[in-house]
Amino acid sequence: MKFTTSIKNFFAQIFVLALVGLTLNAPALAAADEAPDAMVKRISQEILDLAKNDKEIQAGNQKRVYDLVESKILPYIDFQRMTSLAAGKNWRDATPDQQQQLTKEFRTLLVFTYSGAISQIKDQRVEFKPMRAAPEDTEVEVRSQVIQSRGDPIQLNYRLAKSATGWKIYDINVLGAWLVETYKGTFTESISKSGIDGLIKTLSDKNKKLAAAPNKSTSK
């Protein structure tokens, strides 16, 4: 399975833009009754503030970003659902242990792959479109676009599901392409060749290489 440069480049900046802002509020989780669009708006502004004002992030300190994401992001992202959707019908054939391992490795891959891109955020701002949802809906899509000083706006939509602790993001759409669908093809290809264990090993090997890669900047 190939995790191509095009996939990484396509989602890197926007996925981290979505993720890193969530770290600021993890200790005090969003209220269970907070509206999904309100939650995304709140964290989006914090993303931009963090990216613009943190000198270590601006210097490209990937370890700092990774540590923040790994320790504080999990309450806001439903990685298990994200992984199950990417695995498709093969998820049902996996044992509980395989599902757990696959979720762990996929989560780690996403965090490693995109943690360095936050330093690219400079002067972007986010505009939101009115959310089309009924009060009783338990799954919604929040639509927005990233405005840049140069270039066209970047479409950025979120799929969220309501849980007992509030809304959680389980997929992100950039310029019309959903992250889950992007990985689904590579997952299916790998599983067809070497099974669930083969996919887990591929992800694990990739994560080990990313963990061993030197950071542009480090702090202690």
Side-chain angles (χ1 to χ4, degrees), residues 38-153:
M39 184 192 81
V40 175
K41 288 178 183 179
R42 171 173 56 80
I43 63 179
S44 294
Q45 186 57 53
E46 290 164 352
I47 292 163
L48 298 178
D49 291 343
L50 174 64
K52 294 173 183 177
N53 298 322
D54 191 303
K55 293 181 179 179
E56 292 190 22
I57 289 176
Q58 288 293 315
N61 188 335
Q62 297 181 21
K63 184 179 184 300
R64 177 176 174 83
V65 177
Y66 172 75
D67 289 345
L68 286 171
V69 173
E70 177 63 24
S71 64
K72 299 179 180 180
I73 193 175
L74 297 185
Y76 292 93
I77 303 292
D78 190 343
F79 279 108
Q80 180 167 324
R81 181 166 184 178
M82 186 180 288
T83 307
S84 68
L85 291 173
K89 63 181 181 180
N90 297 292
W91 180 259
R92 297 190 298 269
D93 298 328
T95 66
D97 183 61
Q98 287 175 321
Q99 291 177 350
Q100 182 178 11
Q101 291 183 59
L102 184 58
T103 300
K104 177 183 176 182
E105 297 296 343
F106 187 38
R107 181 200 69 191
T108 302
L109 174 69
L110 292 175
V111 173
F112 266 131
T113 301
Y114 302 111
S115 63
I118 189 64
S119 61
Q120 299 176 28
I121 297 176
K122 303 298 180 183
D123 58 1
Q124 293 91 335
R125 59 188 176 85
V126 183
E127 293 183 351
F128 288 86
K129 300 178 181 180
M131 189 177 69
R132 302 171 181 173
E136 65 272 16
D137 287 346
T138 57
E139 293 197 14
V140 300
E141 180 176 333
V142 175
R143 300 177 299 152
S144 70
Q145 59 181 3
V146 179
I147 308 300
Q148 310 177 95
S149 59
R150 297 181 180 179
D152 296 330

Side-chain angles (χ1 to χ4, degrees), residues 18-33:
L19 295 187
V20 175
L22 300 175
T23 65
L24 293 180
N25 285 294
L29 297 182
D33 60 351

